[in-house]
Amino acid sequence: MENIMFGELLGKLLYLSNQKKSSLAKELGYDISYISKWINSKNLPSSKNASSICKDISNFIVNSLTESTADDIIKYFEFDLEDTSQTREFLLQNIEKYLKSSYIETTGNKSKNIVIQETYAQERYNSINYINPRLRKKFLAEDIASYIEKDESLDIIIYTNVFDIPIEEKKSLATSKKELSAFKKCENLNIRFLTGFEYNKKDVLINSMIILEMISSYPNLNFEIYNCEVAKSTGSLVIKDKLLYLGVFRSDGASLLTNISKEKQVVNEFYFSIESILKTQGNLIYEKKTSIDLLKETTYMQYIMGHDLRWIIGNINELFMPEDLFTEISEEIFGYDKNILNKLRKINIFLQNITYKSDLKVLIYESEISKYISSGELSFFNIPIKLTVKQRERHLKFLEKIMKESKDIDVRMIEGKIVDEINNEENPSIFLSKNLKIIKMNMDDKMNGYAIATDDNLKNICDDLFNTIWEEKSNLVSRDKDYILDRISKAIDYMKIINEKF
């Protein structure tokens, strides 16, 4: 921590210890404006009182620490603490030492009543220049949580090229929506994510899965993704009126610069710059549709009438269902709406007479068949329903019949996870044709919908994902038809046992 300005060090200590300037001012017996001037380097304590003030600040910081914030300070300052029983005394001594050293470094040989030359940047700059990724993520989460607890409206823009950042940052982004969803009770939470879509084909699996996870998970959250040209090796998150985070990374993933600011003018200047880019260059990459809209607007019919049909079945759904069972479930769910039932009858006829007799490539998760056998839970046009044992048996027998009789339908089984780095709550379901790419959103109590790809880059990503799994992942996908039929046959046997027919 050499060559660090006194105000900057004080700002870091307050931030890391999760303390406010007002609390420090009260402890020292100073007005808060003094503390602000110290942090902004507009003024410094007098040399006469500097030693005692450094000691008092150190006492205040250490006395306010929790186990978690103490650990953050130790890691941030890279303190070499061998005896944890002496943590408090160690921190008291070293924080006081750092404060005194930075005071001397800042003042040099100047007079007692030192005043630092004010510049535009110094007046408004209040940030942490570098902080390790784990702590950065923690502080951002805590800041957002604090705003939510106050029931404040949050307008968030995330701006980074998800395909270009280091793997750890990718993992963090893959879980960001999950973390934000913890605050979904906040009705005034609006998140817009801007990313570029240039990517290396060798990383297509993890890159695709990150985007799909962000699209499909937590559909109730007001979360939009835009395709936009984004500078490489940078990442930023800005909350209007409240917080700015900006990071710059080396090609190997190491952080070169981290800036966290809560100065409203700095925050909003950045926010409106990014929002201007979004409005002039951003392209929303998908359109949300509810299950009802998908049927009423004939989007689903358009899809199954398309060419080059390919399915990634992430959970068992309305596909490969016998005609009579399809009708039963349609009437059970949509019996109140004759218009929807009429649409479903047409879809059923088309599936039975055209789709199941056409060229078709299907990837299905083995784990989902096992789950379906035990739970009976099925997604019928992304509306959850539980089937009886007899209904499940009829469904699986029909799938077995199609595989045995059709020479045009090629079914392959995904054994395990597509990528280990992402812990999906649900396996992705994607339905692809030449022109339409439909991503099933995770089932939810209020929103059982789909994301229709509207951006060419997202469409290409969906195609690349399917083709990579289909053609290249021999260690992940079983292509042996006899083996797959055997797995389905055993599933039917299990159903018979459950149904007491054995």
Side-chain angles (χ1 to χ4, degrees), residues 20-32 35 60:
K20 297 178 180 179
K21 291 183 284 187
S22 57
S23 299
L24 176 61
K26 184 177 180 180
E27 177 71 18
L28 298 181
Y30 282 82
D31 189 272
I32 189 174
I35 309 301
F60 169 78

Side-chain angles (χ1 to χ4, degrees), residues 452-470:
I452 315 298
T454 55
D455 179 79
D456 288 340
N457 289 280
L458 177 58
K459 293 178 182 179
N460 292 337
I461 281 174
C462 293
D463 284 332
D464 287 343
L465 174 65
F466 186 95
N467 294 335
T468 301
I469 299 171
W470 187 265

Side-chain angles (χ1 to χ4, degrees), residues 62-127:
V62 173
N63 290 336
S64 69
L65 293 178
T66 63
E67 184 177 345
S68 175
T69 54
D71 184 54
D72 290 344
I73 283 185
I74 290 168
K75 290 180 178 178
Y76 180 81
F77 288 95
E78 298 180 346
F79 285 142
D80 185 13
L81 180 60
E82 295 180 358
D83 185 0
T84 55
S85 66
Q86 301 296 318
T87 299
R88 185 179 183 279
E89 290 73 15
F90 178 89
L91 289 176
L92 280 171
Q93 294 175 9
N94 281 274
I95 290 173
E96 182 182 350
K97 181 182 73 174
Y98 274 134
L99 285 165
K100 289 179 177 178
S101 298
S102 65
Y103 181 86
I104 294 171
E105 181 72 28
T106 305
T107 58
N109 295 320
K110 295 182 180 180
S111 64
K112 295 180 181 180
N113 300 318
I114 180 170
V115 178
I116 306 298
Q117 181 67 35
E118 179 180 323
T119 66
Y120 178 89
Q122 286 171 332
E123 181 182 358
R124 294 166 176 80
Y125 185 73
N126 177 19
S127 64

Side-chain angles (χ1 to χ4, degrees), residues 4-14 77 98-99 102:
I4 186 170
M5 302 292 281
F6 179 83
E8 184 182 343
L9 177 59
L10 180 55
K12 290 178 191 289
L13 289 168
L14 288 173
F77 288 95
Y98 274 134
L99 285 165
S102 65

